[in-house]
PDB file of all heavy atoms in Angstrom:
ATOM      1  N   LYS V 338     -20.078   1.645  -6.563  1.00  0.00           N
ATOM      2  CA  LYS V 338     -20.181   0.956  -5.275  1.00  0.00           C
ATOM      3  C   LYS V 338     -19.073   1.360  -4.309  1.00  0.00           C
ATOM      4  O   LYS V 338     -18.808   0.669  -3.332  1.00  0.00           O
ATOM      5  CB  LYS V 338     -20.184  -0.555  -5.500  1.00  0.00           C
ATOM      6  CG  LYS V 338     -21.424  -0.993  -6.278  1.00  0.00           C
ATOM      7  CD  LYS V 338     -21.745  -2.447  -6.095  1.00  0.00           C
ATOM      8  CE  LYS V 338     -23.063  -2.781  -6.796  1.00  0.00           C
ATOM      9  NZ  LYS V 338     -23.151  -4.202  -7.142  1.00  0.00           N
ATOM     10  N   ALA V 339     -18.442   2.467  -4.583  1.00  0.00           N
ATOM     11  CA  ALA V 339     -17.463   3.003  -3.631  1.00  0.00           C
ATOM     12  C   ALA V 339     -18.241   3.553  -2.431  1.00  0.00           C
ATOM     13  O   ALA V 339     -19.423   3.853  -2.540  1.00  0.00           O
ATOM     14  CB  ALA V 339     -16.644   4.102  -4.291  1.00  0.00           C
ATOM     15  N   PRO V 340     -17.592   3.669  -1.277  1.00  0.00           N
ATOM     16  CA  PRO V 340     -18.310   4.107  -0.065  1.00  0.00           C
ATOM     17  C   PRO V 340     -18.596   5.610  -0.073  1.00  0.00           C
ATOM     18  O   PRO V 340     -17.926   6.390   0.601  1.00  0.00           O
ATOM     19  CB  PRO V 340     -17.347   3.724   1.062  1.00  0.00           C
ATOM     20  CG  PRO V 340     -16.001   3.704   0.430  1.00  0.00           C
ATOM     21  CD  PRO V 340     -16.195   3.315  -0.994  1.00  0.00           C
ATOM     22  N   TRP V 341     -19.581   6.010  -0.841  1.00  0.00           N
ATOM     23  CA  TRP V 341     -19.878   7.442  -1.000  1.00  0.00           C
ATOM     24  C   TRP V 341     -20.386   8.088   0.274  1.00  0.00           C
ATOM     25  O   TRP V 341     -20.460   9.310   0.365  1.00  0.00           O
ATOM     26  CB  TRP V 341     -20.868   7.651  -2.144  1.00  0.00           C
ATOM     27  CG  TRP V 341     -20.247   7.365  -3.469  1.00  0.00           C
ATOM     28  CD1 TRP V 341     -20.401   6.243  -4.219  1.00  0.00           C
ATOM     29  CD2 TRP V 341     -19.322   8.197  -4.191  1.00  0.00           C
ATOM     30  NE1 TRP V 341     -19.639   6.305  -5.360  1.00  0.00           N
ATOM     31  CE2 TRP V 341     -18.976   7.508  -5.368  1.00  0.00           C
ATOM     32  CE3 TRP V 341     -18.762   9.459  -3.961  1.00  0.00           C
ATOM     33  CZ2 TRP V 341     -18.088   8.027  -6.315  1.00  0.00           C
ATOM     34  CZ3 TRP V 341     -17.884   9.982  -4.904  1.00  0.00           C
ATOM     35  CH2 TRP V 341     -17.559   9.272  -6.053  1.00  0.00           C
ATOM     36  N   SER V 342     -20.812   7.265   1.249  1.00  0.00           N
ATOM     37  CA  SER V 342     -21.267   7.875   2.500  1.00  0.00           C
ATOM     38  C   SER V 342     -20.139   7.971   3.520  1.00  0.00           C
ATOM     39  O   SER V 342     -20.341   8.465   4.621  1.00  0.00           O
ATOM     40  CB  SER V 342     -22.440   7.079   3.073  1.00  0.00           C
ATOM     41  OG  SER V 342     -22.026   5.742   3.279  1.00  0.00           O
ATOM     42  N   ASN V 343     -18.954   7.496   3.153  1.00  0.00           N
ATOM     43  CA  ASN V 343     -17.792   7.647   4.024  1.00  0.00           C
ATOM     44  C   ASN V 343     -17.119   8.983   3.684  1.00  0.00           C
ATOM     45  O   ASN V 343     -16.595   9.155   2.591  1.00  0.00           O
ATOM     46  CB  ASN V 343     -16.843   6.467   3.775  1.00  0.00           C
ATOM     47  CG  ASN V 343     -15.564   6.562   4.588  1.00  0.00           C
ATOM     48  OD1 ASN V 343     -15.211   7.635   5.076  1.00  0.00           O
ATOM     49  ND2 ASN V 343     -14.869   5.457   4.719  1.00  0.00           N
ATOM     50  N   PRO V 344     -17.142   9.952   4.626  1.00  0.00           N
ATOM     51  CA  PRO V 344     -16.654  11.290   4.273  1.00  0.00           C
ATOM     52  C   PRO V 344     -15.175  11.304   3.897  1.00  0.00           C
ATOM     53  O   PRO V 344     -14.737  12.173   3.144  1.00  0.00           O
ATOM     54  CB  PRO V 344     -16.910  12.114   5.536  1.00  0.00           C
ATOM     55  CG  PRO V 344     -17.031  11.117   6.644  1.00  0.00           C
ATOM     56  CD  PRO V 344     -17.589   9.873   6.024  1.00  0.00           C
ATOM     57  N   ALA V 345     -14.417  10.354   4.394  1.00  0.00           N
ATOM     58  CA  ALA V 345     -13.000  10.314   4.026  1.00  0.00           C
ATOM     59  C   ALA V 345     -12.863  10.022   2.536  1.00  0.00           C
ATOM     60  O   ALA V 345     -12.066  10.640   1.832  1.00  0.00           O
ATOM     61  CB  ALA V 345     -12.261   9.256   4.843  1.00  0.00           C
ATOM     62  N   PHE V 346     -13.668   9.107   2.035  1.00  0.00           N
ATOM     63  CA  PHE V 346     -13.598   8.796   0.606  1.00  0.00           C
ATOM     64  C   PHE V 346     -14.255   9.887  -0.239  1.00  0.00           C
ATOM     65  O   PHE V 346     -13.674  10.368  -1.214  1.00  0.00           O
ATOM     66  CB  PHE V 346     -14.259   7.447   0.285  1.00  0.00           C
ATOM     67  CG  PHE V 346     -14.454   7.269  -1.203  1.00  0.00           C
ATOM     68  CD1 PHE V 346     -13.365   7.031  -2.026  1.00  0.00           C
ATOM     69  CD2 PHE V 346     -15.706   7.417  -1.781  1.00  0.00           C
ATOM     70  CE1 PHE V 346     -13.523   6.916  -3.395  1.00  0.00           C
ATOM     71  CE2 PHE V 346     -15.871   7.307  -3.151  1.00  0.00           C
ATOM     72  CZ  PHE V 346     -14.775   7.056  -3.958  1.00  0.00           C
ATOM     73  N   SER V 347     -15.483  10.286   0.114  1.00  0.00           N
ATOM     74  CA  SER V 347     -16.191  11.237  -0.755  1.00  0.00           C
ATOM     75  C   SER V 347     -15.425  12.554  -0.818  1.00  0.00           C
ATOM     76  O   SER V 347     -15.311  13.164  -1.880  1.00  0.00           O
ATOM     77  CB  SER V 347     -17.625  11.458  -0.276  1.00  0.00           C
ATOM     78  OG  SER V 347     -17.634  12.013   1.022  1.00  0.00           O
ATOM     79  N   GLY V 348     -14.872  12.990   0.303  1.00  0.00           N
ATOM     80  CA  GLY V 348     -14.091  14.223   0.305  1.00  0.00           C
ATOM     81  C   GLY V 348     -12.849  14.094  -0.556  1.00  0.00           C
ATOM     82  O   GLY V 348     -12.537  14.966  -1.362  1.00  0.00           O
ATOM     83  N   MET V 349     -12.171  12.968  -0.417  1.00  0.00           N
ATOM     84  CA  MET V 349     -10.958  12.747  -1.190  1.00  0.00           C
ATOM     85  C   MET V 349     -11.257  12.679  -2.690  1.00  0.00           C
ATOM     86  O   MET V 349     -10.548  13.273  -3.507  1.00  0.00           O
ATOM     87  CB  MET V 349     -10.312  11.435  -0.711  1.00  0.00           C
ATOM     88  CG  MET V 349      -9.182  10.919  -1.535  1.00  0.00           C
ATOM     89  SD  MET V 349      -9.808   9.665  -2.664  1.00  0.00           S
ATOM     90  CE  MET V 349      -8.573   9.650  -3.887  1.00  0.00           C
ATOM     91  N   PHE V 350     -12.326  12.007  -3.059  1.00  0.00           N
ATOM     92  CA  PHE V 350     -12.589  11.844  -4.489  1.00  0.00           C
ATOM     93  C   PHE V 350     -13.034  13.159  -5.121  1.00  0.00           C
ATOM     94  O   PHE V 350     -12.622  13.500  -6.232  1.00  0.00           O
ATOM     95  CB  PHE V 350     -13.622  10.734  -4.745  1.00  0.00           C
ATOM     96  CG  PHE V 350     -13.471  10.125  -6.114  1.00  0.00           C
ATOM     97  CD1 PHE V 350     -12.519   9.141  -6.348  1.00  0.00           C
ATOM     98  CD2 PHE V 350     -14.242  10.569  -7.179  1.00  0.00           C
ATOM     99  CE1 PHE V 350     -12.349   8.596  -7.618  1.00  0.00           C
ATOM    100  CE2 PHE V 350     -14.080  10.030  -8.455  1.00  0.00           C
ATOM    101  CZ  PHE V 350     -13.126   9.045  -8.671  1.00  0.00           C
ATOM    102  N   MET V 351     -13.851  13.924  -4.379  1.00  0.00           N
ATOM    103  CA  MET V 351     -14.243  15.239  -4.918  1.00  0.00           C
ATOM    104  C   MET V 351     -13.042  16.156  -5.012  1.00  0.00           C
ATOM    105  O   MET V 351     -12.910  16.937  -5.953  1.00  0.00           O
ATOM    106  CB  MET V 351     -15.315  15.864  -4.032  1.00  0.00           C
ATOM    107  CG  MET V 351     -16.709  15.412  -4.404  1.00  0.00           C
ATOM    108  SD  MET V 351     -17.931  16.423  -3.594  1.00  0.00           S
ATOM    109  CE  MET V 351     -17.766  15.810  -1.962  1.00  0.00           C
ATOM    110  N   SER V 352     -12.158  16.075  -4.020  1.00  0.00           N
ATOM    111  CA  SER V 352     -10.938  16.879  -4.056  1.00  0.00           C
ATOM    112  C   SER V 352     -10.141  16.572  -5.328  1.00  0.00           C
ATOM    113  O   SER V 352      -9.679  17.477  -6.025  1.00  0.00           O
ATOM    114  CB  SER V 352     -10.103  16.575  -2.803  1.00  0.00           C
ATOM    115  OG  SER V 352      -8.761  16.929  -2.989  1.00  0.00           O
ATOM    116  N   LEU V 353     -10.031  15.302  -5.639  1.00  0.00           N
ATOM    117  CA  LEU V 353      -9.307  14.867  -6.838  1.00  0.00           C
ATOM    118  C   LEU V 353      -9.943  15.438  -8.107  1.00  0.00           C
ATOM    119  O   LEU V 353      -9.268  16.007  -8.972  1.00  0.00           O
ATOM    120  CB  LEU V 353      -9.313  13.334  -6.866  1.00  0.00           C
ATOM    121  CG  LEU V 353      -8.751  12.621  -8.085  1.00  0.00           C
ATOM    122  CD1 LEU V 353      -7.247  12.615  -8.006  1.00  0.00           C
ATOM    123  CD2 LEU V 353      -9.271  11.187  -8.159  1.00  0.00           C
ATOM    124  N   VAL V 354     -11.257  15.304  -8.203  1.00  0.00           N
ATOM    125  CA  VAL V 354     -11.950  15.735  -9.417  1.00  0.00           C
ATOM    126  C   VAL V 354     -11.909  17.267  -9.547  1.00  0.00           C
ATOM    127  O   VAL V 354     -11.581  17.803 -10.609  1.00  0.00           O
ATOM    128  CB  VAL V 354     -13.410  15.224  -9.406  1.00  0.00           C
ATOM    129  CG1 VAL V 354     -14.217  15.853 -10.530  1.00  0.00           C
ATOM    130  CG2 VAL V 354     -13.423  13.704  -9.515  1.00  0.00           C
TER     131      VAL V 354
END
Side-chain angles (χ1 to χ4, degrees):
Chain V
K338 295 201 175 156
W341 290 102
S342 58
N343 177 342
F346 168 72
S347 62
M349 170 263 159
F350 206 82
M351 274 192 287
S352 159
L353 174 79
V354 170

